[in-house]
Each structure stands twice: as structure tokens, then as C-alpha cells.
Amino acid sequence: MKDVYLFSGFLGSGKTTLLKTMISQMKDKGLKPAVFMNELGQMNMDSDAVEEGIPLKEILDGCICCSGSEKSEAQIQTLLAEEDFDVLLIETTGAAHPVEALDAIFSPLFAEQLNFKGIVTVADSKRWMDRNSLSPQIRSLFLEQIRHADLLLANKMDLLTEGQQATVVYEIQSLNPKAQIIQTIHAKIPFSALEKLSPLQNEEVVKAPVSKLNLNAKVLKFEAPVRRELFEEWLRALPDTVFRIKGYVPLEGDKYPHAFQFAYGMAQWLPEYMKMQNQIVIIGEGLEGVELP
């Protein structure tokens, strides 16, 4: 049987960073990982994080837990039939309810081939502090992702004071007292923390499907390079309902675009050394008026 871990967490919490870290550690231990990724929009920038040679399947513009469950079963079945691997890592979209996403794993087509180890939820500690500013539907999903975890990563602890850190850990642990909680920066934990997992007997699921969240994904394409200063001014003016931006931004004076990530008001730029599509994906609520500068 192949061990399966499901990575959950809201948009921009650090799930893909955790995925990359686990892939590296598994390979160091001689294990062969495979990855199944889910994205809300029609493009999956996060799949670039999965290094070449790792078996990868993905489902776009849908949700593992909703209308895409049959597609998910087919993708996992294809992985099992065509690829040689020891561990399956499933990264859900940030808009997915983790327990609903288990439907694909427990398909009668291949359930006896998989050993589900547990749900690992990456919780953005800074977003937790400001959770009451989220819309009721989004806040409900955020809390559900934490409540149903078997292992909780209180991530981005470096952005909080010591007092805030203690408050976050106490409050998150109170919401899910059965799960182990680990304070992290950049979602860094040893693979041994996952190996010890066994799924908890969770309470009744309160469903919060994407269809009720009013979340949208929007692709914006660049017609020409932009000045970084003007682009960052545009970022600062975006509404709080923009939860996540990722993609490739062409900057004036640079030959290749920069890989770009944005979550909760914080931007990350990484240089690229090859030609990429000059576009970004924006995920959030009420994106009708959001256009490039």
C-alpha cells in the first residue's frame, strides 16, 4: 500500500512550500513521491514547484471535493496504473474543504491500494489574527480547514510578536485540541512528523463548497513590461478580497519575467532565466474591477 497525505490550507498559507520541502526530504530517504495538485483557476502556477521526474497529475478549474471528484479519481487511478511511487502527496486548492476532498482517496476503485495517513493543514498565523475581517463564508472555510486537521502547522510565525504567537497557538489548539500543532516558518518541518500521523476521528463535516464562497480566479495578461514601482503601487491599492496572486511579471530592463507570488499583502519576487508566459492569476472575491495598471 502507498501512504497518502493530504495538504490543506487557505490560499497563500504555504502548502506548496510544504510540498517542495516534503518532496526533497522523501527523496533523501530513498522514497519515491508522486503528486496530485488541484487549482481553482484554469492555470496551475504551483505545478512549476514540482521538480522534473516526479509523477504529477493535476485538475484545473475545479475542485477535488465538488464536481471534479470523478476527474480526481481518474487521475489518481492513472497514477497508480502508470507510475512507480511510494507516497502520494495531494495538495488541495485553498478553497477546498479537506474532509470533502477525501472522497477521491477512498474511491472503491483503488481504496485498498492507499493508506491514508492524515490531513496536514497549513494555517497562516497572520491571517488567523485578522480572521474576523474575512467574509463569513471564507472565515467558515478557514476554520473548517483547521478544525479537521490531523497535523496543524501554525505558519508564518516570524511575522508575529511573541505575544501574538502564543495567542495564535492557544486559539488554534482550542479549535482543534486533538491535532498536534507545530509552529513553523516557511512551513519547515521534518518528514518524520508526517510519518507519525494517523487520521483522527473527526466530527461531522460542515460543508463549505466553492460554489458558496463566491471565489473567482482571473487571468491577467501583460501586453508589455511594467515598472516594478508602479506594479507594487497597484498591489497596495488592491482590495482586501484579493487573497492570492501568482504568475510571471515582465519587468522593464529584464530579459526574462520574474516569478511572482502575493498573499495577504506580501509580495515575493524570484528571477526567472527562461521565457515564461507574461501573465498572473488572481484569486479572491469580487474581482470584476481588478485590471492591470
Side-chain angles (χ1 to χ4, degrees):
M1 295 182 70
K2 304 177 189 302
D3 288 344
V4 181
Y5 300 93
L6 190 144
F7 294 166
S8 173
F10 195 64
L11 299 158
S13 60
K15 295 188 302 296
T16 304
T17 303
L18 172 64
L19 179 71
K20 291 171 66 176
T21 301
M22 290 301 104
I23 288 173
S24 176
Q25 292 188 39
M26 287 177 187
K27 290 180 68 177
D28 289 344
K29 291 175 68 70
L31 295 172
K32 297 178 181 178
V35 175
F36 179 45
M37 303 183 82
N38 180 210
E39 190 52 87
L40 188 63
Q42 295 179 350
M43 297 173 56
N44 194 354
M45 300 293 183
D46 290 340
S47 62
D48 295 341
V50 180
E51 59 193 77
E52 193 173 344
I54 301 293
L56 169 68
K57 293 291 182 183
E58 52 192 340
I59 196 169
L60 302 179
D61 205 19
C63 180
I64 290 174
C65 56
C66 303
S67 58
S69 60
E70 290 184 3
K71 294 179 183 177
S72 300
E73 288 184 15
Q75 295 282 45
I76 294 174
Q77 191 171 24
T78 301
L79 273 175
L80 289 166
E82 298 180 357
E83 303 289 351
D84 176 29
F85 63 93
D86 302 309
V87 182
L88 177 60
L89 303 176
I90 298 178
E91 181 186 334
T92 64
T93 169
H97 191 299
V99 177
E100 292 179 6
L102 296 181
D103 285 348
I105 301 172
F106 292 119
S107 165
L109 295 173
F110 45 71
E112 74 283 352
Q113 300 179 55
L114 300 177
N115 176 36
F116 178 61
K117 294 279 287 183
I119 297 170
V120 182
T121 294
V122 186
D124 184 330
S125 299
K126 188 167 176 57
R127 191 179 294 281
W128 174 266
M129 296 290 294
D130 296 328
R131 64 192 180 280
N132 290 330
S133 66
L134 299 171
S135 68
Q137 296 93 339
I138 296 294
R139 184 168 65 248
S140 174
L141 175 67
F142 184 40
L143 297 179
E144 283 291 287
Q145 289 171 336
I146 292 171
R147 191 163 74 91
H148 291 280
D150 301 299
L151 173 64
L152 278 162
L153 308 188
N155 198 31
K156 303 185 182 181
M157 278 288 170
D158 53 321
L159 303 180
L160 305 182
T161 65
E162 287 189 9
Q164 289 173 328
Q165 291 174 7
T167 298
V168 167
V169 170
Y170 174 77
E171 292 178 344
I172 289 179
Q173 192 75 80
S174 298
L175 182 63
N176 185 348
K178 297 179 182 178
Q180 180 188 9
I181 184 168
I182 302 176
Q183 298 180 55
T184 58
I185 299 172
H186 302 305
K188 288 186 178 178
I189 59 168
F191 176 55
S192 58
L194 269 63
E195 288 182 299
K196 297 172 185 175
L197 273 179
S198 59
L200 303 172
Q201 295 298 315
N202 286 303
E203 300 170 12
E204 182 181 353
V205 178
V206 179
K207 295 187 177 182
V210 176
S211 59
K212 294 183 180 178
L213 294 177
N214 299 316
L215 278 175
N216 302 107
K218 188 172 186 178
V219 178
L220 299 180
K221 298 183 179 182
F222 295 88
E223 300 297 330
V226 296
R227 285 176 51 196
R228 179 165 172 169
E229 295 82 3
L230 290 178
F231 186 76
E232 290 183 339
E233 282 182 18
W234 173 76
L235 288 174
R236 287 191 287 271
L238 288 173
D240 292 339
T241 51
V242 172
F243 299 124
R244 183 89 160 101
I245 303 175
K246 51 192 173 183
Y248 300 96
V249 180
L251 296 178
E252 288 183 355
D254 290 341
K255 183 177 180 181
Y256 299 114
H258 281 242
F260 178 76
Q261 302 262 1
F262 174 87
Y264 205 68
M266 290 171 284
Q268 181 183 29
W269 298 87
L270 292 172
E272 279 289 340
Y273 301 100
M274 62 182 71
K275 187 173 177 60
M276 306 296 287
Q277 290 180 303
N278 293 333
Q279 57 191 20
I280 54 175
V281 179
I282 299 179
I283 302 174
E285 295 177 296
L287 303 179
E288 294 80 8
V290 177
E291 300 293 343
L292 288 172

